[in-house]
Amino acid sequence: MSHSPRSSSPDRRSVLRGTVAASAALALPTLAAAPALALSGRPGAAWGVQTGDVTSSSGLVWVRSDRPARMIVETSATDSFRHTHRWHGPLLGPGTDFTGTTSLRGLPAGEQVHYRVTLADPDDPRRTGEPVYGTFRTAPSKRREGVRFLWSGDIAGQGWGINPDVGGFRAYEEMRRLDPDFFLCSGDTVYADGVIQPSVTLPDGRIWRNITTEEKSKVAQRLADFRGNFRYNLLDENVRRFNAQVPTVVQWDDHEVRNNWYPGQILDDVRYTEKNVDVLAERSMQAFSEYFPISTLPSQGRDGRVHRVVRYGPLLDVFVLDMRSYRNANSPGRQADDTQGILGAEQLAWLKRELSRSRAVWKVIAADMPLGLVVQDGATDFEAVAQGDPGVPLGRELQIAELLRFIKHCRITGTLWLTADVHYTSAQHYAPERAAFKDFAPFWEFVSGPLAAGGFPANALDGTFGPERVFVRAPERANVSPMESPQYFGEVDIDGGSGELTVRLRAEGGTVLFSKVLQPGRVGQ
């Protein structure tokens, strides 16, 4: 198995033994919904640290305090912190659920950055808590330095939460040991509509035991409920250890709010007293922006959008889509004219513009939903792009056809699609000779997940864009527990010398299920 040349450096190995281990040793955070605002003691950061949207010169550092505090970040080239640069972060208080993000600028490219976060009493800056340590690697500035990252999604879903009997979210520890440059989280980061019961009886009689909280014992409606859902995953030591070592690029999908939601939806669900999904989505977006370090969210003083480009050096640009916030209503999907589609007109224009500007060798389109897999919403409606009609593009397919045509005619090379959502892993190759719509260049779509949720059977394919399922691994029945079926994540390895991109579909336990090598510079392959 090949790796980025930088991934095995001696300095990197020392990190795994040092600063990250210190962060991982934090005590399990309190299960309380809000921090105890004690007047005595020093601020604590038991929820760990995490970084996000790291580029060749910048990155975001996140922390949560147990009381009001000033966030201070120090960075260093070594884990000794002999020479540091200090960054003064925000004041953490109840308005952000005591979370905060500090933006780091002017970082060296292609280097290991060690950091520590200290929380200071806002009334007495000399009173500080114990530092929390982390590390990340900035994107390279030279093509010869390879890039390697992982992706997956679907976390704490279908009632399968943190089970201490099996070691919690074990896939996170396996991913951490692979030491990627970053992790692309493809949505369903939480299941705000998914109740976590104390125990679940499996078909074979075994008992699955969950850690649960007040917020996870019901569907999320209040802002406090959504905050508790995002906080839940951080109860897992594997997640906190992973966050302290691996930067994330995060997107959202439906379960951050509710299954299969769309803007303007009015719920017919007795579990909800708040029926307006737009109200729920606004509350979820606030919590989402508080609990993930994302460069375009309100926590960074931006316009609050999820879609963005994360530029990771000369080899890679990651185009993070939002296929949830701008979509039209779920329907049978047979419209002959559909300008809103699944992306909305403005996001589609943004994506075409940014793809045409990209000079990266590889352009990963991070989609929170698959293109050619038929995902139903009830008996007659459809949730994703495809609607089961293998003919000419209709409904949301029209927007994707417009995008694929644009990519071909502008001769944009090196595009591939990564997604999660369907709770199994597969590889689809799309080609015009098999398709009803033919004005596009061939491309690949790779699916992974779940990372910590139930497994589901494979979805049917829609022939409009000519997908061929080259590989699939999925259970035969719905909602198979992590005790019965492995969790899945994918790996992308871009060689700095040849520019070749290798995709590996992995199963928890160290198994590579499928691999595919793609060559750079081709319009379609």
Side-chain angles (χ1 to χ4, degrees), residues 3-318:
H3 294 283
S4 163
R6 293 174 292 122
S7 65
S8 59
S9 65
D11 186 55
R12 183 63 170 172
R13 289 196 299 269
S14 71
V15 171
L16 304 185
R17 297 191 300 266
T19 57
V20 171
S23 282
L26 291 168
L28 185 72
T30 176
L31 299 182
L37 303 182
L39 297 179
S40 60
R42 300 174 185 270
W47 302 90
V49 287
Q50 57 179 313
T51 54
D53 286 11
V54 170
T55 71
S56 59
S57 62
S58 64
L60 303 171
V61 176
W62 174 97
V63 77
R64 184 177 191 260
S65 178
D66 63 357
R67 68 197 71 200
R70 173 69 66 181
M71 179 181 181
I72 300 169
V73 181
E74 294 173 284
T75 61
S76 176
T78 67
D79 58 7
S80 69
F81 288 90
R82 183 168 300 174
H83 303 287
T84 64
H85 186 91
R86 175 170 286 208
W87 312 78
H88 292 276
L91 181 65
L92 313 182
T96 61
D97 202 29
F98 303 91
T99 67
T101 298
T102 298
S103 179
L104 311 183
R105 302 289 179 182
L107 301 174
E111 296 291 339
Q112 197 69 39
V113 177
H114 303 262
Y115 69 93
R116 61 188 176 195
V117 178
T118 304
L119 300 176
D121 187 322
D123 297 322
D124 183 0
R126 295 170 297 179
R127 291 176 56 82
T128 61
E130 289 294 323
V132 185
Y133 294 88
T135 187
F136 62 90
R137 194 160 47 233
T138 53
S141 61
K142 300 175 183 178
R143 173 171 167 164
R144 66 174 180 268
E145 298 178 89
V147 176
R148 188 163 54 85
F149 69 93
L150 308 177
W151 93 93
S152 189
D154 315 311
I155 303 158
Q158 290 74 48
W160 312 114
I162 301 168
N163 183 347
D165 297 338
V166 300
F169 293 160
R170 297 173 303 183
Y172 275 91
E173 176 61 14
E174 188 168 320
M175 292 195 302
R176 184 190 72 83
R177 291 180 181 276
L178 288 173
D179 191 27
D181 291 303
F182 65 92
F183 172 59
L184 169 62
C185 190
S186 302
D188 291 343
T189 57
V190 299
Y191 278 70
D193 59 333
V195 174
I196 300 292
Q197 300 287 357
S199 64
V200 181
T201 302
L202 304 185
D204 61 5
R206 288 181 296 170
I207 302 298
W208 175 280
R209 187 166 63 91
N210 285 313
I211 291 174
T212 190
T213 65
E214 178 185 351
E215 295 89 355
K216 291 302 298 179
S217 66
K218 57 190 175 183
V219 297
Q221 300 188 74
R222 304 170 303 152
L223 175 58
D225 299 333
F226 287 104
R227 285 168 166 170
N229 270 263
F230 287 103
R231 198 160 52 239
Y232 178 79
N233 295 350
L234 298 176
L235 291 171
D236 187 88
E237 182 180 351
N238 301 301
V239 173
R240 299 198 307 276
R241 187 186 296 112
F242 179 84
N243 286 347
Q245 180 179 320
V246 181
T248 56
V249 175
V250 180
Q251 62 193 132
W252 77 343
D253 191 37
D254 57 335
H255 287 287
E256 284 79 1
V257 180
R258 181 191 180 271
N259 186 45
N260 296 354
W261 75 274
Y262 51 83
Q265 183 180 21
I266 302 300
L267 301 180
D268 181 17
D269 187 332
V270 297
R271 300 177 301 168
Y272 288 85
T273 56
E274 175 55 70
K275 304 294 186 180
N276 187 339
V277 80
D278 289 349
V279 173
L280 299 175
E282 182 179 2
R283 292 168 182 169
S284 176
M285 174 56 77
Q286 180 173 340
F288 183 79
S289 70
E290 291 168 348
Y291 275 85
F292 290 116
I294 297 176
S295 57
T296 52
L297 288 182
S299 59
Q300 292 301 299
R302 303 299 178 87
D303 57 6
R305 57 183 172 87
V306 173
H307 64 277
R308 62 202 188 278
V309 185
V310 178
R311 305 195 186 280
Y312 207 83
L315 285 173
L316 177 65
D317 282 346
V318 181

Side-chain angles (χ1 to χ4, degrees), residues 481-511:
S481 77
M483 269 187 177
E484 304 165 273
S485 178
Q487 305 295 275
Y488 300 114
F489 59 91
E491 178 183 26
V492 175
D493 193 345
I494 308 175
D495 183 79
S498 66
E500 286 185 344
L501 183 148
T502 302
V503 177
R504 301 182 186 93
L505 300 180
R506 290 180 167 272
E508 180 187 3
T511 304

